[in-house]
Amino acid sequence: MLRINSPGGSALASDIMWHAVRRATEEKPVIASMGSVAASGGYYVAMGADHILADAGSVTGSVGVFGGKFDLGGLYDKIGVRREVITRGRNANIYGDVGGFSDAERERVRAIIDSVYTDFVTKAAEGRGMAYDDMDALARGQVWTGVEAERNGLIDEIGGLRRAFAVAKIHAGYSEDREFELLQLPAAPSLWDIFGDDEWSLTRLAVGRRPAALVDAWWALADERAFALMPFDLSFR
């Protein structure tokens, strides 16, 4: 069983994982179980599985591609940074961080995005047994809940982890009530692990961090202004 909880990311990384899932299906049944989010690249990975489940409120779909770059020229001017870039070739500096795209570069980027999008939709259509045009109508970056995804044929059924385990057993040739030992990795930490003298302990993480920063972090989560916090702070001088 493949558990996915990802909003997506790199098209290349997603395609590599999709190929790995497809190879796995040649040896064994692969059941994809979507967590709270399995969209864009998260859906890309799931669509290679034999059977896809999602929770009713899972955020999925988002079959689409976008690309671009940040132009930091104005920032460099403000902070007094002078850059000199030497290139060879018409598109050598296409993703350079100073200046926008030229007309030729913009056309090149658009062609790349269109190619990746076509590949994404083609694989999604094949995985779900749809015609390309039908999948394209559901794609274009549109986001769906699990219920909507099931209705539109993007997933097979609604269900959480327990249902996914049951489906996996059936696809593997076992009865649904067959009992198996479930091994959770990584294992839940003990109190000794939490307060012990290892580099990931709470006591070690707190050393050197300003108490005010920790309080601010907790308030950010309490006010629902953040979904996650990085395990480090950034400061600019």
Side-chain angles (χ1 to χ4, degrees), residues 205-217 229-236:
L205 289 174
V207 173
R209 299 186 65 181
R210 294 178 294 110
L214 293 175
V215 173
D216 289 342
L229 296 175
M230 299 299 291
F232 51 80
D233 294 325
L234 295 177
S235 59
F236 297 90

Side-chain angles (χ1 to χ4, degrees), residues 103-210:
D103 291 341
E105 290 173 339
R106 190 176 300 278
E107 287 302 316
R108 182 59 181 160
V109 171
R110 182 178 289 114
I112 294 172
I113 292 174
D114 288 345
S115 176
V116 175
Y117 176 78
T118 300
D119 187 51
F120 193 172
V121 175
T122 298
K123 289 174 178 175
E126 292 175 352
R128 301 308 302 164
M130 294 185 185
Y132 180 93
D133 290 342
D134 292 336
M135 177 58 71
D136 182 47
L138 299 171
R140 304 176 187 177
Q142 298 177 88
V143 177
W144 309 95
T145 65
V147 171
E148 293 169 330
E150 182 190 31
R151 185 184 307 134
N152 290 321
L154 294 175
I155 67 170
D156 293 293
E157 64 175 288
I158 297 296
L161 272 175
R162 289 183 181 275
R163 176 56 187 165
F165 285 130
V167 172
K169 287 188 285 187
I170 295 172
H171 276 72
Y174 297 100
S175 64
E176 187 174 341
D177 58 356
R178 171 72 180 271
E179 295 292 335
F180 287 92
E181 180 182 0
L182 181 60
L183 178 62
Q184 180 179 339
L185 296 174
S190 65
L191 287 176
W192 179 263
D193 294 328
I194 295 175
F195 296 105
D197 188 23
D198 64 271
E199 64 182 74
W200 295 107
S201 67
L202 292 179
T203 52
R204 180 67 64 86
L205 289 174
V207 173
R209 299 186 65 181
R210 294 178 294 110

